[in-house]
Each structure stands twice: as C-alpha cells, then as structure tokens.
Amino acid sequence: MSQQPSVQPVAHRPGEEGRRNELILTAARLFREQGYERTTVRELAGAVGLQSGSLFHHFRNKEEILLAVMANGIQSVIEEGLAVLEGDGDPAQRLIALFRLHMHSLIYGVGGNAMHAIIFEWRSLSPSARLRARELADAYEALWHRAITEALAAGLLEGDPVVLRKFVLGGMNHMVRWYKSDGRIPPERLIEEMLTAAFPQLLSRLRETP
Amino acid sequence: MSQQPSVQPVAHRPGEEGRRNELILTAARLFREQGYERTTVRELAGAVGLQSGSLFHHFRNKEEILLAVMANGIQSVIEEGLAVLEGDGDPAQRLIALFRLHMHSLIYGVGGNAMHAIIFEWRSLSPSARLRARELADAYEALWHRAITEALAAGLLEGDPVVLRKFVLGGMNHMVRWYKSDGRIPPERLIEEMLTAAFPQLLSRLRETP
DNA sequence: GTCTATAAGTGGATAGAC
DNA sequence: GTCTATCCACTTATAGAC
C-alpha cells in the first residue's frame, strides 16, 4: 500500500499534489461510506498508509478536507455542463444532455462521491466554508437554470423554474442513496428511466416529432 | 423553562410519557438544525431543562433517541396514507392525494423533522437499528408503490415503478433542504408547483377531461 | 425523575525528531 | 513529508444521592 515511494506527480510540485489528490479521493469515498463525522482522521490517514499526524501537513484541518472533496468533484462537472449548454441542438436536446451528464457523473465519475458530500455533509461545515460550498452548488445549478428556462420559453415544460430545477436535481441526487449498479437495472437503462420519470412530456414530444 | 412541574400526561404513565415525547420532538428539531452527530446529549437535555444524566432515564442511549424520532413522525403519515389509498376516487386522484399528503406532512406536520432524520441521519445508526429504520421507510414506500402501480396500469404514467417512486420521493424530500415557507412561494402554491413538476402528464390529462 | 459528579473513551490537532 | 508521542477538549454514559 505504501511500497512505491511516490505515485505519478500531477502538477509542478511533485509528490505533494499526488498525495493530496489521493487523500481527497480516499476521503470522498470514506465520507460517502461512513459519513464525514464518523470518519476519523486516523482512519483516513490509515487508508492511504499514513499516520494521523501526517495528514495535517496536507490540510490545515479536517474541514479543509471536506471542502476539497466537494470542490474537487463539482468543478469538472461544471466545465462539462458548460460545454453541453454551448453545444448545438435545440433546448430539449440540451436539457436531456445535461441530465445524462449529471447522471453519468453520479454513477461513474468522481462526481458521485463529491455530490454525496455536498448533499449530506454541508451541515458539518463552518459558516464561512458553508458559503464556499454554496457557491459551488450555485454555479452548477445556474447551468440547470439556463437549460430549464430555455425549455420553458420553448413551451417544452411548464411550471416554476426554481421548483422544477430543485425537484429534478433532488430526484436525481437521491439516486446515490438507493441505486446499485449491479442490481436489476443496468446503469444505462437507469439513466433513461430516470429521464422518463423527470421529463415525460418532453420525451413524448420528441417521439411524436423526431 | 422548567417552572411547571409537569406538562399534560399523554398515556397511562403520567409525566414520563409527556417528557419522553417532549424530548423526541425537541430532538427532531435539533437533529434537523444541527445534525445528529453534532447535537450533544447535553444540548438536548438543556433544551428541555434537564441535566444530561437525566436523559438516560428516558432513553437507553443516544441512538434510541434518533430511532424514536424517525418512528414518531412516519407512523402517522403511514396511517393517513393508508386512508387516502382506501378512499374513493380514481388512481389519478389517489396518487395526487398521496402527493399532497406527503408535502403537507413535510411542510406543516411533525413529519418534516422525522423525514429529515430518516433521510440524513440513517448512517449514524447501528446495523440493527438501521434495519428498523429501513422497515419504517419501506412500509411507507409500499403505499407509494401501490399508488404508482395503479396509475401505471391505468395508463396515466409510464416508466419503471421503482424508478418513478424513488425519483418522486427524492424530489419531494429534497424540498426540506431548500424551501422556506416565508419566501417567494407560499406553501400551498409550492405543493401545486411540485405536483406539476412531478406529474405534468397526469395533470394535463385531468384538465382535458375533468 | 432529576441532580451532581465523574468515569472511560475518542476526537482533532500540535511539536519536534528524523 | 512522515513519524512518534502527546495534549486537551469534549463526548456518551454511569453511579449513587436526593
């Protein structure tokens, strides 16, 4: 577990960035499995082959780890989401693409663990850190706001844009609590079933006028 | 805060049941505001005017309090839900009534705090207690399964019944994280907006054939 | 039933050697 | 950058008096 002296360095500071990243990914997994409060720094350190004291060379305190976990996953999803919204296609196609991206990130990507942290562990943050986490979430939700507003303007959906956004995101994110990818429903079918649940009117329109 | 010696007794054991209930309700609120792990027994005891040691006359341990919080809220919702499903009306009306009941319980009832605990604090339970909590949730979700299956059979919805159920419940429950009843949207309108978001196809059918 | 006092343990975090 | 050793705040839970 700690035989090789160093994993491939990522940035200009060799070793340190690699270790930090390893810690963030491991923390994300542990926080998801056990929760932030019940994951001790000793546990996290042990999981990457360190002693607990060594953790605080990479992070000022435990909270900084949680914040890093949150930021790590969502940033990449935001970038991919922006690309989707600026891509071609009509509002319906963009909304569906954003949906599939979100689901894909939850199921396969590093985004799943990060999203889990954002959803379930925000209360463990101090007020200032909570603000920072809120900014991250807001930046991502802004993408959804755009996509939903467009679809509303095109008459593809109806209702309040905020309620629609919160409802759909809530329904999707809840998936991380119940879905097992090795169960009755394979991942790709799940995504389409969720899409049907979220936007039935939108899909039936697409089928009528292809 | 502790002037009157006793509040109105509820059951055959006067005083004790009242105190226990007071503790459950206060715990539910505190767990929602701060989370279970970050709510200390001293805090909870203090909030009802007790010393921390006195708590353990009413509950064996802290976990038992959390379990009681969860059970307390959901039981009444299950009973009301059963009444809805056995009432008159077609599948569409029953599904909508169940939806409104759930939202109502989240917004006004004691169910909101309990649901919050079930959603966010289950990982703090030991395996056996977790099983008990799962049974409670399952009993409630069974009501939804019935209502959704009926609506599917009647051709009112389409998709996988499990995915539909999980998605809709996820979307609704997420509300406790963002909705403020004193904000832009009054509670009764929120319920209707959420209904539009959850079952647009069902509502538009009702409007076409009233 | 509630109090006081305290046991027994765990947590995050620090200091300084290597 | 990691280790060892340790501090100390704070937690749940208990014991026994009232």
Side-chain angles (χ1 to χ4, degrees):
Chain A
M1 205 170 265
S2 59
Q3 282 116 339
Q4 60 263 42
S6 165
V7 212
Q8 60 275 37
V10 177
H12 22 276
R13 285 196 213 134
E16 186 184 334
E17 282 283 346
R19 193 58 119 172
R20 189 185 157 91
N21 221 272
E22 184 188 5
L23 281 165
I24 291 174
L25 293 180
T26 307
R29 179 174 57 77
L30 290 176
F31 293 168
R32 178 173 193 160
E33 288 169 4
Q34 316 179 347
Y36 170 77
E37 306 274 356
R38 282 176 313 291
T39 303
T40 67
V41 293
R42 284 176 178 81
E43 242 177 322
L44 171 57
V48 299
L50 286 180
Q51 295 297 316
S52 70
S54 310
L55 266 191
F56 297 93
H57 175 78
H58 301 278
F59 301 93
R60 243 195 306 275
N61 49 43
K62 194 185 174 190
E63 180 177 60
E64 200 177 284
I65 304 176
L66 178 54
L67 207 53
V69 164
M70 292 176 170
N72 182 54
I74 205 158
Q75 200 54 47
S76 62
V77 187
I78 288 176
E79 282 159 24
E80 292 178 86
L82 267 174
V84 162
L85 290 194
E86 278 153 13
D88 54 340
D90 57 42
Q93 289 169 329
R94 278 197 289 271
L95 185 56
I96 289 173
L98 195 60
F99 191 100
R100 291 206 177 107
L101 168 66
H102 188 97
M103 291 292 297
H104 214 269
S105 160
L106 285 183
I107 296 174
Y108 301 107
V110 72
N113 292 343
M115 197 66 76
H116 210 274
I118 289 175
I119 300 170
F120 292 106
E121 311 294 1
W122 63 277
R123 277 178 314 186
S124 296
L125 295 171
S126 65
S128 66
R130 205 178 282 194
L131 205 69
R132 177 92 185 87
R134 190 88 286 273
E135 286 169 5
L136 288 168
D138 284 346
Y140 181 60
E141 290 199 28
L143 300 185
W144 278 90
H145 187 74
R146 264 178 65 183
I148 285 174
T149 305
E150 276 182 13
L152 282 167
L156 296 166
L157 299 178
E158 60 174 334
D160 183 89
V162 173
V163 175
L164 279 167
R165 182 180 84 232
K166 294 289 191 183
F167 185 81
V168 170
L169 282 170
M172 277 193 287
N173 290 337
H174 182 225
M175 186 210 68
V176 303
R177 280 287 309 282
W178 62 268
Y179 178 65
K180 309 282 175 228
S181 57
D182 57 354
R184 176 177 64 92
I185 309 173
E188 293 305 323
R189 208 191 112 216
L190 173 77
I191 296 180
E192 299 313 303
E193 289 288 354
M194 292 281 281
L195 201 41
T196 306
F199 302 120
Q201 75 282 43
L202 204 150
L203 288 179
S204 56
R205 252 174 220 250
L206 279 187
R207 284 187 205 120
E208 285 161 17
T209 57
Chain B
M1 207 172 267
S2 60
Q3 282 114 342
Q4 59 262 41
S6 166
V7 212
Q8 59 273 38
V10 177
H12 23 275
R13 285 195 214 134
E16 186 183 334
E17 282 284 344
R19 192 58 119 173
R20 189 184 156 92
N21 222 273
E22 183 188 4
L23 281 166
I24 290 173
L25 294 179
T26 307
R29 180 175 56 77
L30 290 175
F31 292 168
R32 179 174 192 159
E33 288 169 3
Q34 316 179 343
Y36 170 76
E37 307 274 356
R38 280 176 314 292
T39 302
T40 66
V41 292
R42 282 179 179 79
E43 244 177 320
L44 172 57
V48 301
L50 287 179
Q51 294 298 315
S52 71
S54 310
L55 266 191
F56 297 93
H57 176 78
H58 301 277
F59 300 92
R60 245 195 304 275
N61 49 44
K62 195 186 174 189
E63 180 177 62
E64 199 177 285
I65 304 176
L66 177 55
L67 206 54
V69 164
M70 291 176 171
N72 182 54
I74 206 158
Q75 200 53 47
S76 62
V77 187
I78 288 176
E79 282 159 25
E80 293 178 85
L82 266 175
V84 162
L85 290 195
E86 279 153 13
D88 55 340
D90 57 42
Q93 290 169 329
R94 278 198 288 272
L95 185 56
I96 290 174
L98 195 61
F99 190 98
R100 291 206 178 106
L101 168 66
H102 187 98
M103 290 292 298
H104 214 268
S105 159
L106 285 183
I107 297 174
Y108 301 107
V110 71
N113 292 344
M115 196 66 74
H116 210 274
I118 290 175
I119 300 170
F120 292 107
E121 311 294 2
W122 64 277
R123 276 177 314 185
S124 296
L125 295 172
S126 65
S128 66
R130 205 176 284 193
L131 205 69
R132 178 92 186 86
R134 191 88 286 272
E135 286 168 6
L136 288 168
D138 284 346
Y140 181 60
E141 289 199 29
L143 301 184
W144 278 89
H145 187 73
R146 263 177 65 183
I148 285 175
T149 305
E150 277 182 12
L152 282 168
L156 296 165
L157 299 178
E158 59 174 334
D160 182 271
V162 172
V163 175
L164 279 167
R165 181 180 87 232
K166 294 289 191 183
F167 185 82
V168 170
L169 282 170
M172 277 193 288
N173 290 337
H174 182 224
M175 186 210 68
V176 304
R177 281 286 309 282
W178 62 268
Y179 178 64
K180 309 281 175 230
S181 57
D182 57 354
R184 175 176 65 91
I185 309 172
E188 293 305 322
R189 209 191 113 216
L190 173 76
I191 297 180
E192 300 312 304
E193 290 288 353
M194 293 280 281
L195 202 40
T196 306
F199 302 120
Q201 74 281 43
L202 202 151
L203 289 179
S204 55
R205 253 174 218 250
L206 279 187
R207 285 188 204 120
E208 285 162 19
T209 57

